[in-house]
Amino acid sequence: MSEPIKTLPLVLEPPRGRGKPPRHLADFSADERKAAAEELGLPAFRVKQVAHHYFARLQRDPEAMTDLPAAQRDAIAQALLPPLLSTVKVQEADQGTTLKTLWRLFDGALVESVLMRYSERATVCVSSQAGCGMACPFCATGQGGLQRNMSTAEIVDQVVDAAAAMAHGRVAGGPGRLSHGVFMGLGEPLANYKAVVGAVRRMTSPAPDGLGMSARNITVSTVGLAPRMRQLADEGVPVTLALSLHAPDDELRDELVPINTRHSVEEAVSAAKHFFDVTGRRVSIEYAMMRDINDQAWRADLLAELLLAHGEGRGWVHVNLIPLNEVPGSRFTRSRDEDMDEFVRRLVSRGISTTIRDTRGDEIDAACGQLAASDA
């Protein structure tokens, strides 16, 4: 690199003084719902009825909940299903199979989710924070700073909306089923640990306690909060962990991923290997390919040595190379095709499973690293 990369300050704690969203059914575990019912003066079966509408029928309109007493319907729905997200704008790409939704939260904060339909699956990419404090200089989200953490229910509501969009045929291709979820939208998921784990549990619990998704179809991404990665391994939910590495050496990663100044490359990769050892779930190494910055052949060799030092590559790890989704005005540009091909060749030659990610939604700034939650 010819000059140092300028980065924003790293922010791990959200600013104080911001209000909290209203409590919502999706914030409660099954046991907590019993206490909520008592607090609201409702019989437990009423809460279960509402949960069935929300998680199984993907319904949020109280008028459709005809098994609730008509005189109490609105009051019950308002108490258990207060509105959390309001749609600002929906954009389509890829012949209508990619939908990016801009949401406004109760306090005016903006976040985005992206629903992507493929031939064999449908995936929703959700936000876990309003903004992001990780300050990665090549990422549009990281340049906006952190406003606040999202609640469990605010995260889950994005998933419920995506599931309803698939079920009701609002995505090109007709009615279908939401099968996958990725925590790769705005925010660093493991910096909002409790809410994200709560959301994963709601997503994976069978209806009416949750959406009944397979934990194996849910990916939690992180820039490398090593202690939280180790904690996630012990939660008993076999999600896929994705480590956004982007550089195999501390000198470069300190600049590209500022959290590396707290948790080094070695710490992050060791925590990723611990996750595999505990869960048996292969870890994904995310690596955004940036021209003449991190895409040199010698860095591919260094990455191979780093991963193989923790175990045979094909068994515990998969490298997911991401052609950089460019942000207007940024000095960071996408790697040349020939450099990406050589990077792949060197990793594969060392026995490390490697692919180049298929980019979706870049024409509507819906691809990885492009979400900025702007209503402009």
Side-chain angles (χ1 to χ4, degrees):
M1 294 179 295
S2 57
E3 59 184 273
I5 297 169
K6 296 180 180 179
T7 60
L8 295 171
L10 184 67
V11 179
L12 291 172
E13 295 294 332
R16 294 180 179 273
R18 295 188 70 102
K20 294 184 178 182
R23 291 195 310 167
H24 184 281
L25 176 79
D27 286 315
F28 305 125
S29 67
D31 289 339
E32 289 169 339
R33 287 178 200 168
K34 296 176 183 178
E38 292 178 5
E39 185 179 323
L40 294 169
L42 295 172
F45 76 89
R46 289 290 183 217
V47 179
K48 188 172 183 178
Q49 285 175 311
V50 176
H52 178 78
H53 284 293
Y54 183 72
F55 286 115
R57 298 185 62 227
L58 309 173
Q59 182 58 255
R60 290 177 282 187
D61 179 6
E63 292 307 310
M65 302 178 189
T66 55
D67 53 352
L68 300 179
Q72 297 178 277
R73 200 173 293 157
D74 287 342
I76 293 173
Q78 185 61 38
L80 292 172
L81 300 177
L84 297 176
L85 311 174
S86 59
T87 305
V88 177
K89 180 170 56 178
V90 179
Q91 293 174 273
E92 295 185 4
D94 306 311
Q95 292 78 51
T97 59
T98 298
L99 302 181
K100 181 176 81 166
T101 304
L102 176 66
W103 303 103
R104 180 171 282 111
L105 306 181
F106 83 101
D107 56 355
L110 298 174
V111 299
E112 290 175 323
S113 61
V114 183
L115 175 57
M116 298 160 284
R117 185 176 196 156
Y118 301 87
S119 59
E120 75 287 358
R121 70 185 188 280
T123 300
V124 63
C125 174
V126 298
S127 294
S128 56
Q129 294 179 307
C132 183
M134 296 298 103
C136 300
F138 58 91
C139 174
T141 310
Q143 297 309 292
L146 176 63
Q147 296 176 56
R148 69 169 173 88
N149 285 334
M150 296 176 68
S151 68
T152 289
E154 286 176 322
I155 298 169
V156 172
D157 216 33
Q158 298 169 76
V159 185
V160 170
D161 183 83
M166 286 297 299
H168 302 152
R170 302 204 311 258
V171 185
R177 186 179 69 87
L178 182 71
S179 58
H180 289 64
V182 295
F183 286 80
M184 295 183 178
L186 273 68
E188 160 55 46
L190 297 190
N192 187 16
Y193 186 86
K194 183 177 179 180
V196 166
V197 170
V200 169
R201 294 195 186 281
R202 307 301 179 271
M203 292 164 70
T204 57
S205 295
D209 294 330
L211 289 163
M213 298 174 69
S214 169
R216 295 175 179 273
N217 290 344
I218 295 172
T219 298
V220 177
S221 179
T222 179
V223 293
L225 277 66
R228 292 300 195 188
M229 293 165 69
R230 292 177 177 274
Q231 186 177 354
L232 184 63
D234 298 323
E235 289 287 350
V237 282
V239 297
T240 296
L241 178 69
L243 170 60
S244 295
L245 194 64
H246 306 311
D249 54 296
D250 286 324
E251 181 180 7
L252 176 58
R253 196 168 190 264
D254 282 351
E255 296 189 316
L256 292 180
V257 188
I259 195 66
N260 199 72
T261 60
R262 305 279 188 95
H263 306 294
S264 68
V265 167
E266 176 60 29
E267 287 180 78
V269 174
S270 293
K273 179 55 163 56
H274 173 78
F275 185 89
F276 169 80
D277 290 339
V278 172
T279 67
R281 299 287 295 150
R282 187 170 68 165
V283 173
S284 177
I285 299 293
E286 310 287 302
Y287 197 104
M289 297 292 287
M290 305 173 216
R291 182 181 299 187
D292 299 329
I293 290 179
N294 68 346
D295 63 353
Q296 302 90 340
W298 67 267
R299 278 203 164 92
D301 294 337
L302 190 59
L303 178 59
E305 292 168 10
L306 171 69
L307 299 179
L308 290 172
H310 290 82
E312 291 301 317
R314 190 175 299 278
W316 80 272
V317 72
H318 172 83
V319 175
N320 196 7
L321 300 180
I322 306 168
L324 183 71
N325 298 303
E326 298 178 10
V327 176
S330 172
R331 62 169 284 192
F332 299 95
T333 56
R334 185 176 306 200
S335 296
R336 306 171 189 87
D337 288 346
E338 58 268 27
D339 291 336
M340 287 191 281
D341 290 342
E342 178 62 13
F343 210 94
V344 172
R345 188 191 70 78
R346 289 186 178 236
L347 290 173
V348 171
S349 72
R350 300 291 297 275
I352 297 172
S353 174
T354 307
T355 54
I356 298 177
R357 177 183 289 175
D358 174 37
T359 298
R360 292 282 295 264
D362 55 351
E363 66 265 40
I364 56 171
D365 293 335
C368 285
Q370 292 184 317
L371 299 184
S374 170
D375 58 359

